[in-house]
Amino acid sequence: MTGASGASIVLRAPAGIGEVRPAYDLVGLVIAAAAHDGWSWRNGDVVIVAQKIVSKAEGRFASLDTVEVTDQARELARRTGKDPRLVALILAESVEVLRVARDVLIVRNRHGVVLANAGIDRSNVPQDTSKERVLLLPADPDASARRLKAGIDARCGVAVAVIVNDSLGRAWRQGTVGIALGAAGLPALEDARGQRDREGRPLQITRVGLADEIAAAASMLMGQGAEGRPLVLMRGLEYARRDGAAAELVRPLAEDLFR
Amino acid sequence: MTGASGASIVLRAPAGIGEVRPAYDLVGLVIAAAAHDGWSWRNGDVVIVAQKIVSKAEGRFASLDTVEVTDQARELARRTGKDPRLVALILAESVEVLRVARDVLIVRNRHGVVLANAGIDRSNVPQDTSKERVLLLPADPDASARRLKAGIDARCGVAVAVIVNDSLGRAWRQGTVGIALGAAGLPALEDARGQRDREGRPLQITRVGLADEIAAAASMLMGQGAEGRPLVLMRGLEYARRDGAAAELVRPLAEDLFR
């Protein structure tokens, strides 16, 4: 029995986060849910929150009834079969339309993330009786993660990392997986360049999307439906104490071979 | 405090799997490493093994010195800067070349998986003094997962799930993440179609790449370098007791918008 020693990671999804409304204190909600679950904070803990509750706390609702529908939106709505008002909102959140097909509208959003419908969601959005509402992504998910980290660190006297995750589709693989829209307190992209394998060769895989792996792991516990658990706490992950941001995970346009 | 109750997942990477050689009993290695780590098996446990040790146990080595280099391989080697013998092997494992650039050769392999270099790896491959060796992916990773599951189930008297994972790059995101090349004993693609959200609307996200999320979670513990831990045990994941295969995760060619 030689080589690396064993290692463990624990993921915990506390109960007790109900419907989140605009201007709710997300830091307080996370701390209360963790406390109710018996969690005592340690340095290096990772907090993963679903994009949806971050967006709700930040009041990122939009009403379909007040959207101005452009000609481009009308044309894309015809080709996709989607609501023209929704398409107009998607375009307003996007810098580039990558693919259009029946039921499919894949864009690059203003943060460079490639995703369907600019991440705009109609499910689990409480409806006003008079207006149809949708939920946009946080305006700046890395900033959301940083604020959440700063609040938890200050109130709990620790240094945690925070991931804001969402579930996205992939180009060649079926099913969504959790990815990091926002990150703070850890390297989102882990750089192993310069490391060597057991044979002394340089490693082929040199950069790991660590924050995306964390987001995917948390997504296993979060679920999607009515029983969704929008908060996951993680302990045991080894990571470099370098601060980072999910923006590191966005491939630069010049290196995009699949536009 | 209403709604879903709390939930936990534990991931454990035992020490004690050394260099794996052809014809090694992988089932026995996994069981021994788990036992040495104090793991007592339960129904529903998930075993994640790195592709590399599966390939090694299956003897999937190839020698660069005996490869016949085709004209296509020579041309692609020129454009990518890669070893023409390696390119010839990559082509032999592939059904389609998707993108070619300096240092980049992205293909669809015979199982439909889109990945760089057909997953052929030169790092952590023990070298013969006379021949340069590389490691191919398992010939049929879903079959590898099924065999491993059958062996563990039979010898330990449980029903586990098995994932064979690997780290792949993505089209628009930097860094690799763990994905499932092979799966057995669980639904690789979890279907939530028909489920409704808390407001009674049909869910927008209806299919989750569960096996890929498991693979990514395990990858956090496995590492890439000399300290790699090629085995991860997972407990606490809720999943439907439907058998599945990683082949479910491959998007059908007709639905591929990014060829």
Side-chain angles (χ1 to χ4, degrees), chain A residues 79-80 82 97-107 114-117 169-174 256-259, chain B residues 96 98-99 108 114 171-172 251-259:
Chain A
R79 290 167 62 192
T80 57
K82 291 176 184 289
V97 174
L98 269 82
R99 289 295 185 276
V100 179
R102 195 78 197 159
D103 296 325
V104 175
L105 182 51
I106 299 171
V107 301
V114 173
L115 77 182
N117 307 322
R170 289 87 50 84
W172 305 290
R173 297 183 73 74
Q174 307 224 68
D256 181 357
L257 300 171
F258 294 95
R259 290 178 85 174
Chain B
E96 184 181 7
L98 269 82
R99 288 294 184 278
R108 186 183 306 275
V114 173
W172 305 290
R251 189 181 290 278
L253 266 188
E255 298 172 16
D256 181 356
L257 300 170
F258 294 94
R259 288 179 87 175

Side-chain angles (χ1 to χ4, degrees), chain A residues 8 121 124 197 204 257, chain B residues 12 99 121 124 197 204 257:
Chain A
S8 303
D121 205 348
N124 279 319
D197 71 8
Q204 285 189 316
L257 300 171
Chain B
R12 178 83 197 152
R99 288 294 184 278
D121 206 346
N124 279 318
D197 70 9
Q204 284 188 318
L257 300 170

Side-chain angles (χ1 to χ4, degrees), chain B residues 56 84 102 190 226 242:
Chain B
K56 286 179 176 179
R102 196 79 197 161
E190 210 177 35
R242 166 177 82 73

